[in-house]
Amino acid sequence: MTFDAHPRSSLIVALDFDSLATAVKFAKQVADLVGMFKIGSQLFTSAGPEAVRQVAQLGADIFLDLKFHDIPNTVAGAVLSSAAMPGVQLVNVHALGGTAMMRAAAQAVSAGVPMGSDRTRLLAVTVLTSMDQRAIREVGLGGPPKLRVLKLAKLAQKAGVDGVVASVQEAKAIRSACGREFLIVTPGVRPKDKGVGAKKDDQARTATPREAIRAGADFIVVGRPILTAADPRAAAQEIVDEIAATKG
Ligand code: C5P
């Protein structure tokens, strides 16, 4: 996997649909513009592994975003099955599952991969980008979101995880604490002043594509600003152009 060979490789489009037919039709429309498609719990719950197979058949790489959070043995099994599906380049767990769980997931992702060959990368979700300071405190996590996220990112790295899902606000601090090789994937991305795209929806910690790349994100995840755009291709293209301009 190369992370900045082409600007479009930094854009991950979230296929947040209930219907697989709709998701595949949409994916075909923008496939040449995006680096990866994200299949999350919405599509996977309704269509199952068939969703991964059909999107992979388009030749696309896949981020299977199922955010596992369970006991280590169960998570290890789920990660193993996820990584074995065609086209799956990224899988993830919740960092709040703890060190033993993340370590088991990291071992599972490497299991059965021949020496030297590329393997699926494992990410840990730090704190959901839909949560603001109040929501974070409400579930018993003290301190500012940035500190929380940073501590979870360091814990994930220590457990052998390849990178994190975090908001743009925390990306810079994670990059300097965890180094260049540690992957940073940022959702909650909203293009500036673009009608529907400018809406925050249920996201609390948002930023523009430019801010995300400047903060050190390897990948940005975008859903609704592209999915609900009158012209999804144009919306995706604009984000790809913004990434390219930022990378110079
Ligand atoms: O529509 P929107 O651009 O807000 O979609 C963001 C996507 O990223 C959704 O599929 C959501 O599940 C996912 N995500 C997130 N925050 C995280 C991890 C994943 O928004 N921390």
Side-chain angles (χ1 to χ4, degrees), residues 1 12 36 62-64 88-91 120-121 123 183:
M1 211 171 5
I12 300 178
M36 227 184 267
I62 294 164
F63 170 15
L64 190 55
V88 174
Q89 296 278 359
L90 295 172
V91 296
T120 303
R121 308 295 162 101
L123 304 174
L183 289 176

Side-chain angles (χ1 to χ4, degrees), residues 201-222:
D201 304 305
D202 58 350
Q203 299 286 14
R205 308 195 320 279
T206 60
T208 65
R210 175 173 294 110
E211 288 163 340
I213 297 298
R214 282 222 179 111
D218 295 293
F219 291 103
I220 63 172
V221 177
V222 185

Side-chain angles (χ1 to χ4, degrees), residues 14 16 38 65 67 128-129 165 187 190 203 221-225:
D16 289 332
K38 185 173 86 66
D65 176 28
K67 302 186 183 73
L128 293 173
T129 42
V165 183
R190 293 291 177 267
Q203 299 286 14
V221 177
V222 185
R224 287 161 290 186

Side-chain angles (χ1 to χ4, degrees), residues 12-16 38-42 63 65 67 92 94 124-131 165-167 185-190 199-203 205-206 221-228:
I12 300 178
V13 173
L15 294 175
D16 289 332
K38 185 173 86 66
I39 296 178
S41 50
Q42 187 180 354
F63 170 15
D65 176 28
K67 302 186 183 73
N92 61 357
H94 268 287
V125 176
T126 52
V127 175
L128 293 173
T129 42
S130 55
M131 294 176 84
V165 183
S167 91
V185 177
T186 58
V189 172
R190 293 291 177 267
K199 277 196 356 220
K200 285 177 81 169
D201 304 305
D202 58 350
Q203 299 286 14
R205 308 195 320 279
T206 60
V221 177
V222 185
R224 287 161 290 186
I226 295 176
L227 305 190
T228 62

Side-chain angles (χ1 to χ4, degrees), residues 39-201:
I39 296 178
S41 50
Q42 187 180 354
L43 183 59
F44 197 80
T45 306
S46 70
E50 185 56 23
V52 177
R53 277 191 285 274
Q54 289 196 22
V55 174
Q57 266 174 16
L58 304 177
D61 286 338
I62 294 164
F63 170 15
L64 190 55
D65 176 28
L66 299 178
K67 302 186 183 73
F68 299 120
H69 190 170
D70 208 317
I71 59 170
N73 188 55
T74 303
V75 167
V79 165
L80 198 61
S81 301
S82 301
M85 284 185 226
V88 174
Q89 296 278 359
L90 295 172
V91 296
N92 61 357
V93 298
H94 268 287
L96 284 168
T99 300
M101 192 206 76
M102 288 192 280
R103 206 169 271 151
Q107 279 164 4
V109 100
S110 306
V113 180
M115 282 279 282
S117 64
D118 212 12
R119 63 163 173 82
T120 303
R121 308 295 162 101
L122 176 70
L123 304 174
V125 176
T126 52
V127 175
L128 293 173
T129 42
S130 55
M131 294 176 84
D132 57 14
Q133 181 145 12
R134 187 163 158 258
I136 293 170
R137 203 170 295 138
E138 220 170 43
V139 296
L141 296 174
K146 202 169 180 174
L147 189 67
R148 249 330 96 220
V149 169
L150 197 57
K151 284 198 163 181
L152 287 169
K154 286 192 203 160
L155 195 70
Q157 190 173 40
K158 224 169 129 199
V161 170
D162 301 299
V164 285
V165 183
S167 91
V168 174
Q169 271 94 317
E170 296 100 30
K172 213 173 197 165
I174 295 171
R175 180 60 71 222
S176 51
C178 299
R180 182 67 202 101
E181 296 305 308
F182 199 59
L183 289 176
I184 302 178
V185 177
T186 58
V189 172
R190 293 291 177 267
K192 222 172 209 140
D193 304 326
K194 285 281 177 295
V196 70
K199 277 196 356 220
K200 285 177 81 169
D201 304 305

